[in-house]
């Protein structure tokens, strides 16, 4: 999969000929917009969408996408997130929201985190070494290490 931030409010995720676009708080798959919670199977990808999050199953990975306005998820939502491999999260300027994201990462225990923003902001938010990229090509092989990998994807 390839993750790229194309504007401050839009991210694209390309996988096997399918484009997933995150525009503000909308989730679009090719020409289809997912606008309510539920389970979806679109263009060969599985989506589990809840309030404030979406889990996308693609290329043998489970990608959790957090909406900027919902860094703190309800306990029942967190229980559905077991086995998430990668978390995609926007940079949170607010200290309380950063703490909520950190708590969520501790609960979910992903193998990778993709922060949408600068490497400096990502490091301040996550608290560890960050790999800055303009476009991230990610596969299961990139997550074989026991250590958490963190990437910052800027425009």
């Amino acid at each position: 999969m390839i993750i790229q931030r194309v504007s401050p409010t839009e991210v694209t995720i390309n996988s096997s000929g399918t484009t997933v676009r995150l525009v503000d708080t909308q989730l679009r798959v090719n020409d289809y917009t997912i606008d309510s919670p539920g389970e979806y199977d679109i263009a060969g990808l599985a989506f589990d969408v809840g309030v404030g999050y979406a889990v996308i199953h693609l290329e043998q990975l489970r990608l959790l996408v957090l909406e900027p306005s919902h860094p703190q998820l309800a306990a029942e939502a967190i229980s559905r997130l077991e086995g998430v491999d990668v978390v995609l999260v926007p940079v949170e300027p607010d200290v309380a929201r950063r703490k909520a994201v950190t708590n969520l990462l501790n609960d979910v225990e992903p193998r990778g985190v993709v922060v949408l923003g600068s490497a400096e902001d990502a490091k301040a938010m996550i608290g560890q070494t960050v790999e800055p990229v303009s476009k991230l090509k990610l596969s299961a092989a990139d997550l074989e290490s026991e250590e958490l990998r963190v990437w910052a994807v800027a425009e």
Side-chain angles (χ1 to χ4, degrees), residues 11-148:
V11 175
T12 61
I13 303 167
N14 292 303
S15 173
S16 304
T18 300
T19 300
V20 177
R21 294 177 54 221
L22 311 167
V23 182
D24 292 318
T25 59
Q26 284 191 333
L27 179 62
R28 299 177 186 164
V29 185
N30 293 338
D31 295 329
Y32 185 81
T33 300
I34 297 175
D35 54 9
S36 61
E39 294 182 4
Y40 300 84
D41 187 6
I42 305 167
L45 302 179
F47 297 82
D48 179 5
V49 179
V51 176
Y53 74 93
V55 176
I56 307 169
H57 303 257
L58 66 168
E59 296 183 20
Q60 301 173 340
L61 293 173
R62 293 185 69 212
L63 173 69
L64 168 62
V65 178
L66 292 177
E67 286 184 14
S69 58
H70 292 86
Q72 192 164 1
L73 299 178
E76 62 271 9
I78 292 172
S79 69
R80 295 181 61 137
L81 304 178
E82 290 181 19
V84 163
D85 299 298
V86 179
V87 175
L88 187 143
V89 62
V91 164
E92 290 291 349
D94 180 74
V95 173
R97 286 180 165 210
R98 283 184 180 193
K99 183 162 178 47
V101 168
T102 301
N103 290 341
L104 178 69
L105 293 176
N106 289 336
D107 289 341
V108 174
E109 298 180 339
R111 296 182 292 154
V113 178
V114 178
V115 180
L116 302 174
S118 73
E120 295 80 23
D121 289 339
K123 184 172 183 175
M125 188 168 105
I126 304 297
Q128 71 179 68
T129 303
V130 175
E131 297 175 47
V133 295
S134 58
K135 184 189 301 187
L136 176 62
K137 185 173 182 179
L138 184 62
S139 69
D142 296 315
L143 301 171
E144 290 178 351
S145 169
E146 292 294 319
E147 292 186 28
L148 178 68

